[in-house]
Amino acid sequence: MSVTPIAASSLNAERVSERVLAHLERGLALPGDLYTDPALFAEEMRAVFQRQWVYAGHVSQLANAGDFLTVDVGGQSVIVSRDRAGELHGLVNVCRHRGTLIVDTPCGNVRNFVCPYHQWAYAPDGTLRGAPRMPAGFDREQYPLKRVHTGVWNGLVFVNHSPGEVDDLGALLEAPDELMAPFDIASARVAHTEVYEVAANWKLVWENSQECYHCNANHPEFIKTFDMKAFVADDDSFSLTFSGDRRMQCATFPLRSGAVSLTMTGQPASRQLLGRFGSGLAPYTAAAHLKPGFASVFSPDYGIVFMDVPKSFDRTEVRVQWLVAPGAEAGVDYDVENLKRVWDQTNRQDWALCQSVQRGVASPDFEPGPLSLDEQSVAGFYHSYATMMAAAGL
Ligand code: FES
Ligand SMILES: [Fe+2]
């Protein structure tokens, strides 16, 4: 018996959250229409991405006064900037005059943000500094750029577009604090960035990143060092922890005997080690994820940070950064191609799988099948997704 009738739109049937929970209870994957409905996608941007903490970038990208970067938060453009006093600000990237995007570049440095249309000028803290030829009585103080919440965890900058109170970022990420502290992520720097376009729904991309049921068959480079046997046996070398209503998940990664880093050889790809590993701390690899779109994995010599940016119901941009120790020099301490090889190959293999799933779940013949023992993190995602959607009445 099929659990879920296919509705014309996922929003016309019973609540999405209830449908998800019904599938979760039966241990089933989700119905195809949840991945193929533009109207549902629009609701998800409001209910999920504009209500949760979304990764924006690393503090090293905002080192100086006037540095800024832009980030897509559920389809809304947000600026993160550093002001002259050193404070970070999250600003809605929409001019208070007639709505032009203030900046249209991924990052840069400004003295003031100057709107390209009629030249209203805003300081890096969002206050309006100049507005030419406005009538008498115009009060600049009434028109600062609108603000969003910002938070920093271990040097990783997050924004939250939610209009009201937001969950405390530090509390959400408290569980992995101890696990990730030795990497001293805050003092690292971005060695390389890659932006991947994936023709798949954001939920498929996230689900794929949460399970390794597919790893043996699809990721020859990854399993050179990732110990699938220990992972499947679920022994102490793989300690999965959930918190924050399962939005946060962290784990140590089991590596094969002799391997000290997730690289092609198991040996460090960078000669300069991160944080306390540089002074002899025993090596380990660990991951911390925060739904809906942030994932990170750190080995003693480098880390990788993923940011999933949904673009449409069947398109997701995945922005990936490789981080190294602050003093590590390209061409001297590491070779970029070697640094990124395992994850770049693994990513491309994953995107091909996600794209194939996107096509498959769009078929009227698709009927959600049962999840395996190795997909409990996918079930964890369904749970978080249902909770977030239910909170928005969906
Ligand atoms: S829209 Fe920005 S100055 Fe007019
Ligand atoms: Fe994968």
Side-chain angles (χ1 to χ4, degrees):
M1 188 188 78
S2 163
V3 171
T4 309
I6 298 286
S9 164
S10 334
L11 297 167
N12 295 337
E14 63 183 296
R15 282 164 36 134
V16 172
S17 52
E18 285 168 12
R19 293 177 68 205
V20 171
L21 291 175
H23 279 245
L24 192 54
E25 266 173 34
R26 290 165 175 80
L28 295 176
L30 299 186
D33 62 291
L34 298 193
Y35 303 100
T36 57
D37 183 351
L40 173 64
F41 176 83
E43 292 295 342
E44 288 174 340
M45 294 305 99
R46 282 189 283 276
V48 178
F49 281 83
Q50 292 172 23
R51 292 291 178 275
Q52 300 294 328
W53 288 103
V54 169
Y55 177 64
H58 186 265
V59 282
S60 61
Q61 298 173 270
L62 297 159
N64 303 309
D67 282 353
F68 74 89
L69 51 83
T70 54
V71 55
D72 177 329
V73 182
Q76 305 303 311
S77 183
V78 165
I79 301 169
V80 184
S81 58
R82 192 177 289 285
D83 70 16
R84 286 184 262 287
E87 293 294 313
L88 286 179
H89 300 271
L91 307 167
V92 174
N93 186 12
V94 174
C95 182
R96 293 298 305 275
H97 178 221
R98 281 171 51 202
T100 307
L101 289 187
I102 302 288
V103 282
D104 200 15
T105 50
C107 59
N109 181 280
V110 289
R111 185 168 172 75
N112 288 309
F113 294 110
V114 180
C115 177
Y117 204 173
H118 314 99
Q119 311 286 292
W120 282 26
Y122 302 87
D125 66 0
T127 53
L128 180 60
R129 285 285 171 78
R133 292 186 52 72
M134 295 305 288
F138 173 74
D139 180 5
R140 289 201 303 246
E141 285 187 10
Q142 301 302 311
Y143 299 96
L145 292 176
K146 290 190 175 175
R147 308 185 70 83
V148 303
H149 307 270
T150 58
V152 182
W153 177 74
N154 277 329
L156 303 173
V157 182
F158 291 78
V159 294
N160 191 319
H161 198 288
S162 201
E165 287 289 298
V166 295
D167 294 318
D168 183 74
L169 182 71
L172 260 180
L173 288 164
E174 194 179 347
D177 255 349
E178 206 179 315
L179 185 66
M180 305 311 277
F183 297 96
D184 192 10
I185 300 170
S187 76
R189 66 172 188 86
V190 181
H192 183 69
T193 300
E194 199 84 39
V195 180
Y196 302 92
E197 297 287 338
V198 189
N201 184 275
W202 68 272
K203 298 192 292 300
L204 294 179
V205 173
W206 182 263
E207 290 167 29
N208 170 274
S209 73
Q210 298 301 288
E211 48 96 354
C212 223
Y213 193 38
H214 66 277
C215 290
N216 252 339
N218 291 282
H219 295 320
E221 295 83 3
F222 184 73
I223 61 168
K224 268 184 197 288
T225 44
F226 186 79
D227 189 343
M228 281 303 298
K229 258 197 190 139
F231 173 71
V232 171
D234 204 14
D235 66 15
D236 286 347
S237 57
F238 183 76
S239 51
L240 187 62
T241 305
F242 288 109
S243 69
D245 207 12
R246 298 197 214 177
R247 274 172 295 168
M248 193 299 301
Q249 138 181 3
C250 62
T252 49
F253 268 24
L255 298 191
R256 287 175 190 260
S257 171
V260 295
S261 178
L262 248 172
T263 59
M264 294 295 282
T265 60
Q267 295 311 303
S270 173
R271 277 197 289 203
Q272 303 265 353
L273 299 183
L274 293 162
R276 281 169 33 208
F277 298 99
S279 46
L281 182 74
Y284 67 88
T285 293
H289 295 183
L290 185 66
K291 299 173 181 85
F294 164 79
S296 67
V297 182
F298 278 80
S299 279
D301 58 321
Y302 82 100
I304 182 165
V305 177
F306 293 79
M307 166 174 34
D308 294 349
V309 185
K311 291 294 182 183
S312 70
F313 74 90
D314 62 354
R315 205 162 58 80
T316 305
E317 188 180 276
V318 184
R319 307 182 73 85
V320 181
Q321 296 174 323
W322 281 259
L323 271 59
V324 294
E329 257 185 78
V332 178
D333 297 305
Y334 65 91
D335 168 69
V336 171
E337 289 306 312
N338 184 47
L339 182 77
K340 72 173 198 179
R341 187 163 294 131
V342 168
W343 280 110
D344 184 56
Q345 295 289 329
T346 303
N347 290 343
R348 291 174 195 280
Q349 293 149 0
D350 277 332
W351 313 149
L353 294 166
C354 293
Q355 292 178 172
S356 172
V357 181
Q358 182 69 39
R359 292 174 62 196
V361 297
S363 162
D365 289 322
F366 170 62
E367 201 175 319
L371 298 178
S372 72
L373 294 172
D374 295 339
E375 290 167 294
Q376 292 317 297
S377 297
V378 176
F381 168 62
Y382 294 170
H383 175 92
S384 302
Y385 174 70
T387 306
M388 292 187 273
M389 294 297 274
L394 294 162

